[in-house]
Amino acid sequence: MQRSGLTVVRVGEFAWARLEPADGAFDFAWLDRAIAAAARHGIRVVIGTPTAAPPIWLTEAHPDVLRVNEDGSVEGHGERRQFSFASATYRTYARRIAAKLAERYGRNPNVVGWQIDNEIGVPSFDREAKARWATWLAARYGTIETLNRRWATEYWSQRYQRFDQVRLKSKGPQNPALILDFRRFASSLWAEYVGEQARAIRAAADKRQFVTTNSTVWNDNFDQYLVHRELDVAAWDDYVPNGRPDWAANALHHDIVRGYKQRNFWVMETQPGRVDWAPTNRSLDPGQTRELAWQAVLHGADAILYWQWRSAPNGQEQYHGTLVGPDGKPMPVLPEIERTAAEFARLGPLLAGTIPETADVAIVYSQEGRWSIEQERHARDYDPVTIMKDWYRPLYAVGRTVDVVPPDADLSRYRLVLIPQLNILGSATAERLSAYIRGGGHVLIGPRSGMKDGDNALWPMRQPGPLGRTLGGHVEYYYPLDEPLRLEGGGWSGNVGVWAETLVPDSGDATVMARYGAGNAWLTGKPGMLMRRTGKGWIAYLGAVLDSNGQAAVTRWAEREAGVAAPSIQAPAEVEIGIRRRNDRRLLIAINHANNGVSVNLPNGAGCILGCSPTRILPAHDVLVALLP
């Protein structure tokens, strides 16, 4: 590891049976030796609390801690995450092992941080979870009559007499309010679970040690913003199962994770070539593992870790990619990782303390809105994740720094806010958006927005619900599509697929910005986009899912209308460019994702410090770093 340039390892996250081989009997001697051995080689340690894989003595003594799946089956030993997140017994044991670890290593100078559990998110439907569900509902609604009224339970004779009659259910067919509240309930339990371990660690740990947990790509099981409130930094596991990176999508998720805490983050697991759980476990191409690492840094990562170091002789992940094989000798990807580590060691002093350049543009990611649409897409191909990616791609293509923020974020620092979908829109959020617009902000909002209130119920007014007055218009009707048509605006046009909405101006100063072409009798000639200037800013509503060219055209229009300056350095096609800064220090990072060399022109006075070439040609899958004036 030392020869390879590695400076941090994560240990212990699945080692509960070794750390506590019997109830209350702790064995830390092996971990003492491991941490000390790492320290002798200049390697720091992140300790994972081992609660993702409980030991068999615990589940045999307390079978009630085992997870019950929605179909009633009970998870048994040998899996992982086979515990119930609602179990008070399990929480007690989890806090105890976290506290014992913190008491032993919380002041160890070689331990830099803590990872709580591992890739949390699988809910349980056991008796204790159901009891907590009834309690949670009572706290939220106060009386069962309030729940019945807000959920409209007269429909399908769903009316309840007691909170304990409400089913614990994660998917339909079922009342939309129930399904959304299940997600909120699960989020609250996961936030408690993580928060309890975080507090147990902090009671004994040095404040210089951070506490985090590792999330996964587009995890839909809980509200990430809520779970991260009690954590110091965010972290995620960056995998490309099919071995063919979608670089824009990967960049977007880095920005999403950075948005959980609005600060730099860690990548706790990165794919070392390939995985073992995809239908076809294709390896990344030569150079792409290094590209993944540098892309993460470009978007705000402060550390890159790999899963895993050495192949285990047995166990469910024996085929997973590693840096060295079961014989301890290098795998083919290791030299590439060693090269990356050497680059980080050389440039680390310059990167230290830097953050991505300040963003003028934000994208709002609504977890609840995504849940609501996922429950009933209404069109087979209406995928809220795909739409988020489509709105992000035009910004990524020009190298623009983007912040991804929740609906309740302070937007005052941004010139332009893009909201691909805000299906659930409460009155308070609508008022914040309206105030931002009146104060000089600019908002482009997408289809299906403002359709529902906080109870996942249809607003009595049409879309965009409480934003209608600010927009000066409303959605007349919405149409899932099975064939494309055109949307044509001033100087631009694009194909519409999957979804289209017709809009009606209600105010004389609401301007029709685009109309549908021929092809669908309900839509032909009807407005598909409105804009209204109000106060010092403006709002525009796009009622269609556009193709890539159309979405790019609308994005460019919004940038011009909002007065968002073009990025100072233009990105050639397939070259990703970003800047990390600290005070007056500005580092440009350019990554060539193409299979051929690309010319990259640096600003006058820039000093190239990595990937320098007198021809200014950046080779395929290579990286350039320059110090900007």
Side-chain angles (χ1 to χ4, degrees):
M1 288 182 182
Q2 183 181 27
R3 286 196 302 271
S4 297
L6 305 188
T7 58
V8 63
V9 295
R10 185 187 63 176
V11 298
E13 70 270 27
F14 296 125
W16 198 343
R18 183 68 185 272
L19 290 164
E20 190 179 1
D23 191 350
F26 298 97
D27 176 12
F28 296 131
W30 67 274
L31 189 52
D32 292 343
R33 291 194 299 275
I35 294 171
R40 287 196 299 274
H41 292 274
I43 298 171
R44 303 296 179 88
V45 171
V46 173
I47 296 178
T49 67
T51 50
I56 198 165
W57 60 257
L58 193 162
T59 54
E60 279 193 341
H62 304 282
D64 57 298
V65 307
L66 288 170
R67 188 178 84 237
V68 176
N69 298 313
E70 197 160 1
D71 63 5
S73 61
V74 179
E75 287 297 321
H77 193 70
E79 304 290 333
R80 62 172 175 170
R81 298 178 295 202
Q82 69 264 34
F83 63 91
S84 167
F85 66 165
S87 170
T89 300
Y90 195 76
R91 298 275 193 94
T92 298
Y93 279 97
R95 288 194 304 270
R96 187 176 75 175
I97 188 65
K100 290 290 185 181
L101 285 165
E103 288 165 8
R104 193 168 189 94
Y105 304 110
R107 305 281 174 178
N108 188 315
N110 301 307
V111 175
V112 295
W114 301 83
Q115 175 190 291
I116 293 173
D117 206 272
N118 185 278
E119 296 181 349
I120 63 170
V122 182
S124 181
F125 299 81
D126 57 276
R127 182 179 301 177
E128 198 164 353
K130 291 175 181 176
R132 294 202 62 179
W133 167 240
T135 302
W136 185 90
L137 289 171
R140 178 173 176 82
Y141 293 101
T143 68
I144 197 66
E145 287 305 318
T146 301
L147 180 148
N148 282 319
R149 174 176 54 79
R150 288 168 60 178
W151 288 17
T153 57
E154 302 295 355
Y155 198 81
W156 280 7
S157 194
Q158 290 175 340
R159 186 173 179 82
Y160 298 102
Q161 299 162 314
R162 304 182 313 275
F163 288 110
D164 62 2
Q165 293 174 327
V166 183
R167 294 179 66 188
L168 183 60
K169 193 169 170 63
S170 72
K171 50 185 176 291
Q174 187 50 264
N175 192 301
L178 186 154
I179 301 301
L180 178 60
D181 271 353
F182 167 80
R183 296 289 190 183
R184 290 167 170 159
F185 165 71
S187 298
S188 70
L189 262 60
W190 281 122
E192 287 179 9
Y193 176 82
V194 167
E196 287 173 2
Q197 289 195 45
R199 289 189 293 275
I201 290 167
R202 290 194 181 105
D206 192 308
K207 289 185 178 180
R208 67 178 174 78
Q209 294 178 342
F210 66 82
V211 181
T212 188
T213 192
N214 56 330
S215 60
T216 54
V217 64
W218 294 108
N219 189 318
D220 202 24
N221 290 312
F222 57 86
D223 182 343
Q224 296 277 4
Y225 297 107
L226 178 63
V227 166
H228 278 83
R229 282 182 187 172
E230 291 201 54
L231 300 176
D232 299 312
V233 296
W236 77 293
D237 299 345
D238 189 4
Y239 288 107
V240 186
N242 64 4
R244 298 190 180 278
D246 180 339
W247 293 109
N250 206 63
L252 168 59
H253 208 77
H254 284 308
D255 289 346
I256 287 174
V257 174
R258 191 177 76 246
Y260 294 157
K261 300 293 293 183
Q262 290 293 293
R263 65 184 68 157
N264 286 10
F265 58 94
W266 279 41
V267 180
M268 278 295 182
E269 298 181 16
T270 313
Q271 178 169 324
R274 59 166 169 76
V275 297
D276 69 337
W277 37 267
T280 299
N281 294 288
R282 182 185 185 275
S283 289
L284 293 163
D285 290 337
Q288 289 185 331
T289 299
R290 177 169 169 257
E291 286 175 83
L292 278 178
W294 274 107
Q295 184 188 53
V297 171
L298 186 157
H299 287 271
D302 281 341
I304 312 295
L305 285 74
Y306 293 89
W307 179 263
Q308 53 189 336
W309 169 249
R310 181 171 178 164
S311 302
N314 216 313
Q316 290 90 324
E317 293 184 292
Q318 61 182 186
Y319 278 137
H320 199 285
T322 58
L323 280 64
V324 299
D327 57 359
K329 296 180 180 179
M331 289 298 207
V333 76
L334 184 59
E336 188 174 320
I337 292 171
E338 290 175 336
R339 177 187 178 186
T340 308
E343 292 166 349
F344 287 169
R346 181 160 67 89
L347 301 186
L350 288 174
L351 287 165
T354 63
I355 61 174
E357 192 166 47
T358 302
D360 291 326
V361 179
I363 292 181
V364 170
Y365 173 47
S366 170
Q367 182 71 68
E368 291 194 345
R370 178 184 168 196
W371 285 332
S372 180
I373 290 174
E374 290 283 16
Q375 185 186 353
E376 187 174 6
R377 292 190 177 188
H378 208 60
R380 181 193 60 197
D381 296 327
Y382 197 109
D383 178 10
V385 170
T386 297
I387 289 172
M388 278 286 295
K389 294 175 184 177
D390 290 346
W391 279 56
Y392 181 83
R393 290 183 196 280
L395 305 169
Y396 169 86
V398 297
R400 188 175 296 287
T401 302
V402 180
D403 286 347
V404 182
V405 298
D408 61 355
D410 178 6
L411 303 175
S412 58
R413 58 177 284 192
Y414 304 108
R415 291 198 61 80
L416 175 64
V417 174
L418 304 179
I419 309 178
Q421 54 214 351
L422 197 55
N423 191 245
I424 291 179
L425 176 61
S427 297
T429 299
E431 180 49 41
R432 279 194 299 272
L433 286 171
S434 297
Y436 163 73
I437 294 163
R438 291 192 298 268
H442 311 97
V443 171
L444 173 63
I445 192 166
R448 299 186 77 160
S449 293
M451 182 176 283
K452 294 186 173 187
D453 67 13
D455 292 321
N456 215 5
L458 296 171
W459 277 106
M461 72 287 277
R462 301 220 185 150
Q463 295 168 253
L467 265 182
R469 287 191 178 184
T470 304
L471 177 65
H474 69 272
V475 173
E476 179 186 43
Y477 205 52
Y478 52 88
Y479 299 88
L481 303 177
D482 61 1
E483 57 185 6
L485 69 154
R486 299 288 287 176
L487 183 66
E488 300 173 350
W492 65 270
S493 64
N495 287 325
V496 180
V498 183
W499 192 270
E501 298 171 349
T502 55
L503 298 162
V504 176
D506 296 324
S507 173
D509 56 355
T511 304
V512 174
M513 303 303 297
R515 294 181 182 272
Y516 295 106
N520 185 309
W522 291 109
L523 295 159
T524 301
K526 294 287 186 71
M529 181 176 173
L530 293 181
M531 175 190 181
R532 186 188 184 209
R533 300 183 186 277
T534 178
K536 298 178 181 179
W538 55 256
I539 180 173
Y541 187 103
L542 173 65
V545 174
L546 289 167
D547 64 359
S548 58
N549 290 334
Q551 189 61 52
V554 171
T555 303
R556 298 286 93 82
W557 168 87
E559 290 173 319
R560 291 192 300 271
E561 289 291 329
V564 179
S568 57
I569 301 167
Q570 298 301 309
E574 294 195 78
V575 174
E576 184 173 359
I577 286 182
I579 294 172
R580 283 184 56 148
R581 63 170 180 82
R582 179 183 181 185
N583 299 327
D584 292 335
R585 184 197 309 162
R586 299 171 71 235
L587 282 170
L588 177 141
I589 300 171
I591 309 168
N592 182 10
H593 298 306
N595 291 322
N596 54 275
V598 176
S599 176
V600 176
N601 295 315
L602 296 177
N604 291 333
C608 183
I609 51 180
L610 179 69
C612 309
S613 166
T615 64
R616 297 197 172 183
I617 298 296
L618 183 60
H621 304 293
D622 207 352
V623 177
L624 180 149
V625 181
L627 190 62
L628 298 181

